[in-house]
Amino acid sequence: MMIKKQGDQFSAEALFCNGEWLTGKGEALSSLNPMNGQTIWSGHAASPEQVASAVASARDAQLNWGYLPLEDRIEIMEKFAQQLAEHQAEIAQCISLETGKPSWEAKTEVQAMINKVAISIRAQSERAGEWRKENLGLGHHAHGVMVVFGPYNFPGHLPNGHIVPALLAGNTIVFKPSEETPLTAILTLHCWQKAGLPKGVINLIQGSRPVGEALCQQPIDGLLFTGSSTVGKLLHQQFGGRPEVMLALEMGGNNALIADEDIHVEAAAQIIVRSAFLSAGQRCTCTRRLIVVESKQSEALIAAVVELASNLITDAPDAKPAPFMGPVIHIRAAQQIVTAQQNLQAAGGHNLLEAKPLDDYGCLLSPGIIDVTQARDIPDEEWFGPLLQIYRVENFEQAVELANQTQFGLAAGLISDDLEHQRVFKQRIRAGVVSINQPTAGASSELPFGGIGASGNHRPSAYYAADYCAWPQSVMTGAHTEQQTTFPETGIRS
């Protein structure tokens, strides 16, 4: 790849605007390894002038890109997928360095990026294609310039899930990745460049909140966001009164997983631990609340979950044997989990397994499990890390009711062999991504992905991303003008 490496640290221009790599003129920006705090990459964020320039570049490129035949855009998408495949190992290593993900998990993320291209092409054809019947027609048009805000937990896959369908539809992009993962974005943009994407079609800017705020003040046509509910709500407020801007928000959740009666204890424990602690709990679909329906198996189930979680390998991404989970993204995130655990204890919770730092740096946390059945005034929050709350209830009805007692509505799961309970759960649960007898921490790109309530604004991504990347245009075509019928005699003055 066209990126230099000096010793153990990468160095490269941070911004990509109008087909050129540029040095940022804003504040200093660094990417730190969450295992040890060492600097992986350093550079500078974009200045307000560079933000404006990136939007102008995207605007200038959009007309030609939108006029380009769809098959030509598809060809470039497929070349991008080839570039990802050629550089999969390098990008996966970068993801591991920046996020702390185990190597095996980072490789699956890059594979998901590759797979997204073919899935998006199919989705675009099915959901935003053309249709004609006699004198009626349906077409779809690009919005124009779309901004993509990327998260740190999936720095390659999640922004890619917006960018690919938006480009297929004929939009141009200004991409601001998380300030925690700038290098992954740089490597991805090199793949786009090598795929032959015309200049200005994607523009990369870097920076933290001030850069994002400056970008939102620009004359854009859409904002595609993945991140916290707090930031998503602020964006929703900021774009109030601007209905011309397409706003698609995916915002996480306080997800519940119900463990029903009469289930296989060992299998259920596997599902629960994978749901809660995959990616060190840093997936928006991770289970935060385990709701156990009391039965003769309850104690055995909880004991099995605690034992399995306590035996998880938590280590550096490339450690041998391979870890199940690595560190959380930064010290602040680790401190938030430890503080949340302490607050739950103070509210009456009982620690079954303590989340605590495993090294001197502090981002590598052990899994935490706390029984909060007797606790009071528990806040409805998404604690983004390896902390699982357990609630015990008397019956399945109470379990579903408790699962729905949240402002969020992203993911929910049920472990049950009772077909009627499965049917009731699907009907009553307020969540956009539902799992039955499998982990909540994951989703299929061949299905829509999104939530309700504080988890989204009814613009699900993944397979439905094509819906918000283009607007429909209905066309009625008459005969040749000479063949038009005349006005009826009535209703016309002589």
Side-chain angles (χ1 to χ4, degrees):
M1 281 202 166
M2 297 171 59
I3 186 166
K4 301 175 184 178
K5 189 176 183 182
Q6 300 173 346
D8 292 330
Q9 183 178 331
F10 290 95
S11 62
E13 295 87 349
L15 313 184
F16 188 68
C17 182
N18 201 31
E20 295 183 1
W21 289 98
L22 305 171
T23 300
K25 297 180 180 179
E27 63 183 3
L29 184 68
S30 297
S31 175
L32 304 181
N33 186 333
M35 271 302 301
N36 50 31
Q38 293 180 356
T39 300
I40 302 166
W41 176 93
S42 61
H44 286 82
S47 66
E49 293 77 15
Q50 288 176 314
V51 170
S53 178
V55 173
S57 173
R59 181 70 65 193
D60 290 342
Q62 198 279 317
L63 187 60
N64 288 336
W65 177 250
Y67 276 155
L68 196 68
L70 176 61
E71 54 267 27
D72 291 348
R73 296 200 295 271
I74 288 175
E75 183 180 355
I76 292 176
M77 302 299 111
E78 291 174 338
K79 288 180 178 178
F80 170 65
Q82 293 171 5
Q83 287 295 319
L84 290 174
E86 290 180 17
H87 297 285
Q88 184 170 13
E90 184 178 357
I91 298 171
Q93 182 186 27
C94 179
I95 291 172
S96 286
L97 283 172
E98 288 200 300
T99 68
K101 281 187 182 182
S103 299
W104 62 266
E105 188 180 354
K107 291 176 183 176
T108 65
E109 177 171 351
V110 183
Q111 188 60 53
M113 296 173 68
I114 297 168
N115 297 343
K116 183 64 183 178
V117 171
I119 292 171
S120 296
I121 292 170
R122 187 166 71 251
Q124 192 277 337
S125 175
E126 292 181 6
R127 303 191 62 81
E130 294 186 354
W131 173 85
R132 299 190 185 283
K133 179 182 178 182
E134 298 177 351
N135 69 322
L136 304 179
L138 173 65
H140 287 82
H141 285 254
H143 293 284
V145 175
M146 305 198 85
V147 169
V148 173
F149 282 175
Y152 67 77
N153 60 333
F154 283 88
H157 174 52
L158 288 181
N160 190 61
H162 292 308
I163 291 171
V164 172
L167 291 178
L168 277 172
N171 301 286
T172 52
I173 302 292
V174 180
F175 172 33
K176 193 202 86 66
S178 166
E179 61 271 26
E180 309 291 345
T181 54
L183 185 57
T184 299
I186 290 172
L187 295 186
T188 303
L189 262 292
H190 277 291
C191 287
W192 280 114
Q193 188 178 23
K194 286 190 172 185
L197 197 69
K199 66 179 184 179
V201 174
I202 293 185
N203 302 271
L204 171 67
I205 62 171
Q206 304 274 10
S208 56
R209 180 172 177 171
V211 172
E213 291 175 343
L215 186 52
C216 289
Q217 294 169 3
Q218 294 294 315
I220 61 175
D221 302 298
L223 173 63
L224 313 180
F225 169 80
T226 305
S228 71
S229 181
T230 300
V231 176
K233 288 178 180 177
L234 290 174
L235 291 171
H236 196 269
Q237 293 170 359
Q238 183 171 354
F239 283 91
R242 293 178 66 184
E244 72 278 7
V245 179
M246 168 56 69
L247 191 62
L249 305 173
E250 191 278 288
M251 303 185 291
N254 190 10
N255 311 310
L257 173 60
I258 297 173
D260 206 358
E261 302 178 80
D262 300 322
I263 55 179
H264 190 281
V265 169
E266 288 75 18
Q270 292 266 354
I271 293 172
I272 292 165
V273 169
R274 287 177 60 84
S275 296
F277 302 120
L278 195 61
S279 303
Q282 296 174 116
R283 294 191 180 196
C284 55
T285 51
C286 276
T287 294
R288 312 297 174 194
R289 299 177 294 144
L290 172 63
I291 302 173
V292 178
V293 179
E294 292 276 33
S295 71
K296 59 184 180 181
Q297 295 178 303
S298 301
E299 295 303 327
L301 174 63
I302 293 173
V305 170
V306 172
E307 181 179 6
L308 183 56
S310 64
N311 286 314
L312 292 178
I313 299 174
T314 305
D315 209 338
D318 57 353
K320 302 295 181 184
F324 178 79
M325 60 187 232
V328 295
I329 190 66
H330 46 56
I331 296 296
R332 298 187 307 280
Q335 291 171 341
Q336 287 168 359
I337 293 300
V338 172
T339 300
Q341 180 179 245
Q342 293 169 346
N343 291 340
L344 289 172
Q345 280 185 280
H350 173 59
N351 255 4
L352 304 178
L353 191 64
E354 184 182 4
K356 57 185 178 181
L358 297 177
D359 60 8
D360 292 336
Y361 184 62
C363 287
L364 198 65
L365 295 180
S366 60
I369 301 176
I370 184 167
D371 189 329
V372 295
T373 305
Q374 301 302 321
R376 294 293 178 267
D377 301 322
I378 300 175
D380 181 18
E381 295 183 17
E382 179 189 33
W383 288 306
F384 212 63
L387 182 62
L388 176 65
Q389 305 162 66
I390 294 181
Y391 297 75
R392 301 168 186 255
V393 295
E394 294 180 0
N395 54 57
F396 178 72
E397 289 293 320
Q398 290 180 0
V400 176
E401 182 179 354
L402 180 57
N404 281 334
Q405 287 178 13
T406 174
Q407 62 179 321
F408 300 97
L410 179 60
L414 171 66
I415 305 172
S416 177
D417 293 324
D418 188 317
L419 296 181
E420 178 60 16
H421 282 185
Q422 292 181 13
R423 186 191 68 80
V424 171
F425 177 77
K426 288 186 289 185
Q427 175 65 31
R428 290 181 53 192
I429 197 68
R430 294 183 63 259
V433 182
V434 172
S435 304
I436 296 177
N437 293 335
Q438 67 175 34
T440 63
S444 171
S445 293
E446 300 194 53
L447 294 171
F449 182 85
I452 58 175
S455 292
N457 66 332
H458 307 282
R459 299 287 183 185
S461 60
Y463 205 74
Y464 277 24
D467 295 26
Y468 57 68
C469 289
W471 52 270
Q473 183 179 66
S474 302
V475 180
M476 295 176 288
T477 305
H480 192 278
T481 54
E482 293 181 358
Q483 299 173 341
Q484 291 294 323
T485 57
T486 60
F487 265 99
E489 293 182 0
T490 58
I492 301 295
R493 291 191 180 92
S494 58

